[in-house]
Amino acid sequence: MSVSISRRLQRSLFVAGCFMFCFCFLFLDRYSRLVRDEIDMNGVVEMDSFRRSDINEVIANELSSKVRILCWIMTTPENLEKKAAAVKNTWAKRCNKALFFSSVTNASFPTIGLNTTEGRQHLTAKTVQAFRYCYEHFGDQFDWFLKADDDTYIIVENLRYFLSHHDPNSLEYFGHKFKVIVKQGYFSGGAGYILSRKSLEVFVTKGLSGAVKCRQDGGAEDAEIGICMENLGIKAGDSQDIYGKETFHPFNPTAHLRGFYPPWFYNNAANYPQKGLGCCSDYSISFHYMTPNDMYAMEYLIYHLRPYGLIQDVRKTRTFRMENMAS
């Protein structure tokens, strides 16, 4: 009799355990879906409601007026609500001007529609047309012109700090350098790259007009831009800091810190990839393959989280070499 009761009790406990497991699994799955839906809804998280009163922005504001950057972001109609919205509501607000280019005009976002179709095979056309638009409408209003993707995160203050060591009237552009295909190297499209005002002028007026020297569609966008720049005599500049650490990054922070690199990256990178804190400059400029949630996390970690009692003395900061600036 006791054996029969014991077996019934075991079966009951087993059934109850299965029920509780299924309930917890369904609850957690439903909860995680609700959290994801809440975060992804409209692609917007408000980050500026709690502005810090203990932050001195004088130096950053001075650089913003002296180093004027137009940022243009390549996106698609499908990415507007999440990826592009995350860019718009985080780092793009710190550019002197931000433009979003797509294959379709969207007046409410807004995006500027280009005369091309979507697809990797047409990224060169989107890039060429976007740079042409920037030159024709804003060529004399800004010092530097940044191209980024809608999964690129830019620390704009660090970009300005880096560019303050360079001349916008020089024939240079900067990014994360690959050593293949182009003799002087070319820059990763995903990590973002930035043209000086003079480089943009030469690119559009000589590379895309008259006796065209640059491919206007097809191929790998970043490599084709690199070939074009070399043909035009525009130098692929060095963007490492004085310690040899990279500032533009083709992957997300975790990949660089942990060294989660694909084999091709070791073969193509101009400077041998490092991991750990050696991977990345303390004044890093960009990271790629960033989800919208990654971007909001970066906003918090960079602009809100503070270790109490550790205060940076920018007067002692020396990270980049100053080039000879035009008078």
Side-chain angles (χ1 to χ4, degrees):
M1 182 68 140
S2 61
V3 173
S4 176
I5 293 174
S6 176
R7 286 177 178 173
R8 285 201 302 272
L9 180 60
Q10 288 175 358
R11 285 197 297 269
S12 298
L13 290 173
F14 176 76
V15 171
C18 290
F19 174 79
M20 288 300 297
F21 174 81
C22 293
F23 175 80
C24 290
F25 177 81
L26 291 173
F27 174 80
L28 290 173
D29 180 67
R30 177 58 180 165
Y31 178 76
S32 65
R33 288 172 183 267
L34 288 172
V35 170
R36 288 198 301 270
D37 290 344
E38 180 68 22
I39 292 175
D40 289 339
M41 187 178 299
N42 299 322
V44 175
V45 175
E46 179 55 54
M47 300 298 292
D48 288 332
S49 296
F50 305 97
R51 295 188 63 83
R52 300 180 64 94
S53 61
D54 60 346
I55 299 299
N56 187 329
E57 300 179 344
V58 171
I59 295 175
N61 290 338
E62 286 179 354
L63 273 182
S64 180
S65 63
K66 293 177 180 178
V67 183
R68 301 168 301 170
I69 302 174
L70 183 151
C71 306
W72 73 262
I73 297 94
M74 184 186 297
T75 189
T76 67
E78 293 75 20
N79 286 352
L80 283 188
E81 291 187 2
K82 293 182 180 179
K83 288 186 174 183
V87 171
K88 182 179 179 181
N89 286 284
T90 57
W91 65 264
K93 295 185 293 186
R94 301 182 183 96
C95 302
N96 295 90
K97 189 171 187 63
L99 302 174
F100 290 80
F101 288 94
S102 178
S103 57
V104 177
T105 297
N106 183 307
S108 61
F109 187 82
T111 62
I112 300 166
L114 300 171
N115 183 29
T116 185
T117 55
E118 297 294 347
R120 293 190 62 83
Q121 67 273 27
H122 298 299
L123 292 181
T124 300
K126 289 180 74 173
T127 301
V128 165
Q129 291 180 35
F131 272 126
R132 185 193 293 275
Y133 182 97
C134 292
Y135 173 72
E136 291 176 348
H137 292 81
F138 303 103
D140 61 350
Q141 298 179 37
F142 299 95
D143 304 307
W144 299 89
F145 297 81
L146 172 75
K147 176 266 175 186
D149 292 343
D150 57 15
D151 60 350
T152 309
Y153 187 92
I154 305 290
I155 300 95
V156 178
E157 292 86 355
N158 290 353
L159 177 59
R160 285 200 184 97
Y161 174 46
F162 167 73
L163 294 172
S164 70
H165 295 73
H166 297 274
D167 184 358
N169 293 310
S170 65
L171 285 177
E172 283 187 297
Y173 81 126
F174 300 96
H176 184 95
K177 189 179 291 185
F178 293 141
K179 64 184 179 182
V180 296
I181 301 176
V182 184
K183 184 177 180 180
Q184 70 167 354
Y186 71 94
F187 296 129
S188 161
Y193 49 86
I194 189 160
L195 278 63
S196 69
R197 178 175 57 233
K198 187 64 176 178
S199 296
L200 179 65
E201 176 187 342
V202 171
F203 174 45
V204 175
T205 60
K206 296 184 178 180
L208 306 180
S209 306
V212 175
K213 299 180 181 178
C214 302
R215 186 168 183 170
Q216 301 200 37
D217 198 8
E221 163 253 323
D222 46 11
E224 293 300 334
I225 295 297
I227 294 169
C228 172
M229 295 294 150
E230 184 168 80
N231 290 341
L232 294 170
I234 297 172
K235 179 184 176 182
D238 181 15
S239 61
Q240 291 178 293
D241 67 16
I242 59 174
Y243 307 105
K245 296 181 181 181
E246 299 285 356
T247 55
F248 290 81
H249 305 291
F251 303 104
N252 63 38
T254 300
H256 286 280
L257 287 167
R258 298 295 302 278
F260 295 153
Y261 303 131
W264 65 263
F265 186 55
Y266 289 99
N267 296 328
N268 294 359
N271 304 295
Y272 192 79
Q274 303 294 320
K275 65 179 180 179
L277 293 181
C279 76
C280 314
S281 172
D282 289 353
Y283 288 85
S284 285
I285 292 167
S286 74
F287 291 96
H288 186 216
Y289 295 122
M290 300 288 285
T291 68
N293 292 344
D294 290 336
M295 294 195 186
Y296 293 121
M298 288 287 279
E299 283 288 292
Y300 169 70
L301 293 171
I302 293 173
Y303 296 100
H304 294 272
L305 180 65
R306 296 289 184 272
Y308 180 76
L310 298 182
I311 302 173
Q312 178 192 14
D313 186 350
V314 295
R315 295 171 298 178
K316 297 180 180 179
T317 298
R318 182 172 175 267
T319 309
F320 302 109
R321 295 180 181 87
M322 180 72 74
E323 73 167 16
N324 293 325
M325 304 286 281
S327 57

